[in-house]
Amino acid sequence: MSQSDLLERARRLFPGGVNSPVRAYLAVGGDPPVMARGSGAHIWDAEGRRYVDVVGAFGPLALGHAEPSVVAAIQRAAAAGGPFGATTEAEIRLGEMITERMPRVERLRLVNSGTEAAMSALRLARAATGRELIVKFQGGYHGHSDSMLVKAGSGPLTLGIPGSAGVPQAVARQTLVAAYNDPDHVEALFKANPGRIAAVIVEPVAANVGVVPPAPGFLAALRDLTSAHGALLIFDEVITGFRVARGGAQELYGIAPDLTVLGKIIGGGLPVGAFGGRADLMNLVSPAGPVYQAGTLSGHPLVMAAGEATLKLLSPPVYEHLERVGARLEAGLARLGVARVERVGSLLTPFMRDEAEYAALHGRLRQRGVLAPPSQFEAWFLSAAHQDSDIDLIIEAAA
Ligand code: PMP
């Protein structure tokens, strides 16, 4: 079936023709592609056109598409039945792999999306501190729960909307917004709201305004400020977790958050989230404690199998590969002189002069068989499957 026919049918069914806003390509123009399949670093649309994929499904595919051992693990899990509405060994194995790699996550709860994980971590922080206010950063994206849609990055930023309709003012007022990489701003918020801030939630590498690495000392300042004022520090590592380093951004920058929010890679491409951290805090989560949280499909065997197979392959040489291909793409794009490139490992953004220029770059790449994220504010994701030849093709297409 032709792509335009499929789009027509999708538009009749889904608001804007999509099930997540950025997929509509409003910021770059043109019809969005309808995808059919993927293998390694490549994807094919419904009309059989091949692209080098730098969207990477917005983060989860650290190994690329249809990694054979991930596919086999999912197939085995599917044949074994479930979910069971009961604990399985697969959950325990994935949980152990996460805590081993990220020792600050002493205890965790598996959920079904990053949104859910962040929302639950904030509820826990409020319960643990007996305080209501949360500090987030401008352009920080932590999913689409009511309190986090204040000055959010990702889709809201792409669409140019400062928040969302339908969020009660009483809820939005509980969220304070600071400028990223500006610890003085955070300190001022603590001074203006003594004893009222439960937590600071931050993407340790901002990746929903395009990629913005933390300024030297910024994360350490957040650690000091939260500790000094009796608030919790929450790292949202939905994007950075198991991508920027084996132990995530908390390992890379050597900062210990109280709570960590995870998603994407730990599900190997299937729907997932997790929140975890200090055992004394996690013991407040139901049924161990009074903070309610639950999920019919949480810890789903297929997701656990995909996550385990993915983390198993993410060995130190794979991180070296991710760094190498990331650096090659950064250098190649920088050489063209078209953009200022920001990068942490396999996560990068070429910042164009404005959004129209980004749209032009996106169109040029698409025409030459490279699919980049359809917004200046979504990070480019490379995977272990990207080879030098793929990177060189991206650079040639951008030239
Ligand atoms: N936190 C961050 C840092 C994210 O980038 C995202 C999604 N891109 C989320 C939370 C929400 O995750 P999900 O889309 O799985 O709900």
Side-chain angles (χ1 to χ4, degrees), residues 59-61 70 74 94 98 110-112 238 241-242 262-274 300-311:
L61 301 178
V70 176
I74 294 171
L94 183 65
I98 292 170
L110 292 157
V111 299
N112 304 290
V238 166
F242 311 105
L262 295 167
K264 301 202 193 252
I265 286 176
I266 62 164
L270 299 190
V272 81
H300 194 290
L302 266 58
V303 183
M304 300 299 105
E308 183 184 358
T310 297
L311 289 188

Side-chain angles (χ1 to χ4, degrees), residues 80-106:
F84 303 100
T87 299
T88 62
E89 189 183 329
E91 288 162 63
I92 298 166
R93 284 201 305 266
L94 183 65
E96 286 173 347
M97 290 176 93
I98 292 170
T99 57
E100 185 266 316
R101 285 163 176 73
M102 220 174 242
R104 299 295 171 175
V105 177
E106 296 170 346

